[in-house]
Amino acid sequence: MNIQHLNIQAKMAITLFLGFVIVATVSSVILLGLALTGEKSGLKIPTVGQISKKYGTSMLVGSMHGSMKEFVSALEDIEVVEQWVSEGAKQEHPLYKDVETIIRYDCRNCHSRTSTMTRAIRSMPFETYEDIVLYTEAGYSWKQMSKQAHIHMYGIASFLIFVTLLFAYTTYKEWVRSALIVLSFSAGFIDIFSWWFIKEIPALAYAIYGFGSVMVGSILLMSALILLDMWKLPRPLKE
Amino acid sequence: MKKISCVLASALLAGSALYGGTGLTLESAKVKGVASLDAGDAAWASAKPIQIVVDQLPYQSEKYTGIKNTTVKMQSVYDSEYVYFKIEYADPTKSLERYPWEKQPDGTWKQLKNPDQFGKENTYYEDRVAMYWDISARGFERRGCAVACHMAENGKINGVDAGKTAGRKFTRAEGQLIDMWHSKGVRTDSVGQVDDQFVNHVADPSVNRNWGRNGDERTGGGYKDNINKEKTAPMYISSKAQPDLFWIHDADKAPFVDTFKAGDRIPAMVVSPFEGSRGDISINSTWENGVWTYVMKRALVTKHPKSAEQDVQFSDLGKAYPFAVAVFDNSQINHVYHEGSISLTFK
């Protein structure tokens, strides 16, 4: 039994499913690139430094470098916030007054409990020092990481199992099938767990970059190979 | 293989389509001779249009039923002395009735109002369009007009009691200035002008009632409320009776004599052209088939005593000038805007 023996309706269903997977994967890459680079359009490839800032620094600074970058009036303001955070994020710190001003002017219209703005984020107010300091811990907290990890891993596993099972029934060499299946799951696993520990080991930014790329690449490659194998023309008969 | 290429190409296109549109530049085209305020002027054929999606609202009014998003089409041309802007956008309703007086069944007069939770009007007001031009405001190039927008938190802005308002405009520090071109359908468009204003750093209503918002210097003219001393009825009527008149030209005003019947309405605004810096932008506005079309004209360089701090100066045609656009649909302060700024360049 291999995938080439499926009837035409099954092949159509698989093709459409893989179309969704490919679009979703490419979309997730675009979204991640935009969020990490702070750009608004196009396919942007983030740098290792941007990845490191996203996962290794505080959510406050990481967001100012990434998804909230467009709302920062002057990029040098991010350095002020970054310095304040790296020096303990205390209210008594001489830079806190500047940080408060930056947040008041650039963030608080949306980040307030009573915001009426189109993109209001009332659940994440920055109105007081106590509000702000919640987002100054470096990297993901245990709570945030547990949340991120379970959502991502359940989500990725739920479609990856279908893709890998389909790939398992292609006619490619056994070692190719085994390698890609193991690679896709393990790359995802290492990528996500690197988020957790990057604040302790900054070099894990390379692991996030590398294994994230391997995971995405393997999903796209397996999808393409399944389609190719499933729909390939029958070989001509030999004399 | 061909099928796979199609799938991959579709995937990439679908992915890219999710994130489109940014970094707009409006190129002002040089015209031969002199351009005009006529929206049908042949000069516009040479001007490349841009499309600006305005889809952000500063606050959710209980009574705002206007546009929540629309696309503003803009073009620009310039001649040796003036720069012109043509602005078009869809607005299904032409709204020019601003706080009209209406005679009541008991013979008294009442100004029609329907304020929202912030005391602001969204029913009996005028359609407007505004352009913000950076003079020296920190962050304007990155954030556009949002850099001067400050919403109230529990009745306070910047720690100052802001009353009932939803928000106020001011810049971050002294010396930071924004030029504000504010086309008001009733109050200024009616006399062929844009209200030329500016925004500075004042964040204290005891210094300026309108916080950072100011009118440019004027030497005469302007608009005023049509209200008697007792504030119980109109002060004037128009000597020219027209069915679709929502203002009274100062030159046409006549003493109010009450010969009206219940339900009759009288405009609440007496208008005349501004003199001085406040009146140095001309406009021609029309609403037809659900589309507002505005053509504005201003000198490339203005020469008033305070031009440097009140007006953007297009003195270097090799430079890019950041600006932002907002549309007001029959609302007093709620408006639809875009994030970031647009660049004006001259070619």
Side-chain angles (χ1 to χ4, degrees), chain A residues 69 72 77 104 108-109 118, chain B residues 57 138 142 149 153 158:
Chain A
K69 195 172 177 182
V72 178
D77 287 348
R104 174 155 37 95
R108 209 174 280 167
N109 273 351
T118 308
Chain B
L57 281 165
R138 187 172 190 267
R142 289 180 55 76
C149 174
E153 292 167 22
N158 236 8

Side-chain angles (χ1 to χ4, degrees), chain A residues 147-211:
Chain A
K147 184 180 172 186
Q148 292 289 328
H150 92 267
I151 291 171
H152 276 80
M153 295 179 88
Y154 275 139
I156 291 169
S158 64
F159 74 84
L160 202 51
I161 188 64
F162 288 109
V163 175
T164 52
L165 280 177
L166 290 169
F167 189 61
Y169 284 94
T170 57
T171 60
Y172 299 109
K173 288 179 181 172
E174 196 171 322
W175 72 266
V176 173
R177 285 180 281 146
S178 301
L180 275 176
I181 289 167
V182 172
L183 202 61
S184 57
F185 276 104
S186 56
F189 192 83
I190 296 169
D191 172 49
I192 290 169
F193 270 82
S194 297
W195 305 352
W196 212 321
F197 301 107
I198 188 173
K199 60 185 174 187
E200 313 295 342
I201 310 165
L204 285 176
Y206 291 95
I208 294 172
Y209 205 125
F211 285 98

Side-chain angles (χ1 to χ4, degrees), chain A residues 74-133:
Chain A
L75 295 181
E76 57 266 30
D77 287 348
I78 306 175
E79 291 167 24
V80 174
V81 177
E82 200 162 11
Q83 190 185 340
W84 174 70
V85 170
S86 69
E87 291 174 7
K90 300 289 183 199
Q91 194 170 12
E92 302 75 31
H93 192 286
L95 281 178
Y96 178 64
K97 196 178 168 191
D98 294 333
V99 170
E100 199 277 333
T101 303
I102 292 163
I103 288 173
R104 174 155 37 95
Y105 278 86
D106 288 353
C107 315
R108 209 174 280 167
N109 273 351
C110 290
H111 282 280
S112 91
R113 291 174 179 83
T114 56
S115 175
T116 57
M117 303 291 279
T118 308
R119 295 188 180 173
I121 308 171
R122 298 182 199 95
S123 59
M124 196 187 283
F126 289 165
E127 293 170 45
T128 64
Y129 167 76
E130 287 72 24
D131 292 335
I132 297 164
V133 81

Side-chain angles (χ1 to χ4, degrees), chain B residues 158-226:
Chain B
N158 236 8
V160 177
D161 191 353
K164 207 180 171 186
T165 188
R168 288 289 184 175
K169 293 276 189 194
F170 54 89
T171 59
R172 190 182 286 210
E174 190 166 3
Q176 293 188 23
L177 299 158
I178 295 168
D179 190 7
M180 182 174 171
W181 298 8
H182 196 172
S183 148
K184 300 172 177 175
V186 167
R187 290 168 289 174
T188 63
D189 290 19
S190 56
V191 292
Q193 286 184 338
V194 171
D195 195 349
D196 193 359
Q197 301 175 292
F198 69 98
V199 178
N200 65 12
H201 69 287
V202 174
D204 182 350
S206 67
V207 176
N208 180 21
R209 189 169 62 92
N210 289 322
W211 298 57
R213 274 182 53 189
N214 302 268
D216 280 18
E217 278 202 318
R218 67 173 173 142
T219 53
Y223 54 81
K224 58 191 171 202
D225 290 329
N226 179 24

